[in-house]
Amino acid sequence: MLVRGDSKLVIEQIRRDYGVKSEVLLKYHTKALTLTKGFEYLLFEYIPLSQNEHADHLSRLAITYFGDLPPGVHVEVREHPIHMDCSIRPVLEEAADWRSPIAR
């Protein structure tokens, strides 16, 4: 799986090229490492926000309002940071379709 991020710091921390000094970032870092354990192969790539139109639109969405969203864009407002959500569910429990090999 290819994982792209627009934060050079975070990508380098996940690659273990940089250390994690911030206590808040350490919680996210730990969560991210936990989520990577189920994958056979992962590649983390830094991509500047200026070169990633989709991420740029999402970042603009975060600082604007939720009106006039394009079809297929769903926004979830979380009550707490993702690293505090300890419930991790399997991607596929019973489905047997094109997603099964990816989930395995």
Side-chain angles (χ1 to χ4, degrees):
M1 175 177 282
L2 172 61
V3 179
R4 291 183 173 144
D6 65 358
S7 170
K8 184 166 180 62
L9 173 65
V10 172
I11 294 296
E12 296 297 339
Q13 287 172 334
I14 289 290
R15 289 179 181 166
R16 299 176 194 257
D17 292 335
Y18 293 177
V20 183
K21 296 179 181 175
S22 164
E23 195 170 316
V24 173
L25 285 182
L26 184 59
K27 293 175 184 177
Y28 285 105
H29 181 75
T30 302
K31 182 71 167 185
L33 290 180
T34 301
L35 294 172
T36 64
K37 290 180 182 174
F39 293 91
E40 186 175 319
Y41 178 78
L42 281 170
L43 175 65
F44 291 92
E45 178 181 81
Y46 165 67
I47 181 168
L49 191 58
S50 62
Q51 296 176 14
N52 187 346
E53 186 176 325
H54 297 294
D56 187 42
H57 289 302
L58 288 172
S59 69
R60 290 174 196 225
L61 174 65
I63 60 172
T64 60
Y65 62 97
F66 297 125
D68 300 327
L69 294 175
V73 174
H74 305 284
V75 176
E76 175 185 353
V77 178
R78 300 188 62 90
E79 294 180 22
H80 57 275
I82 190 69
H83 67 75
M84 295 175 68
D85 182 9
C86 296
S87 61
I88 299 175
R89 297 175 305 277
V91 175
L92 297 174
E93 293 178 350
E94 299 177 14
D97 57 21
W98 63 270
R99 300 172 293 171
S100 300
I102 297 169
R104 281 194 296 279

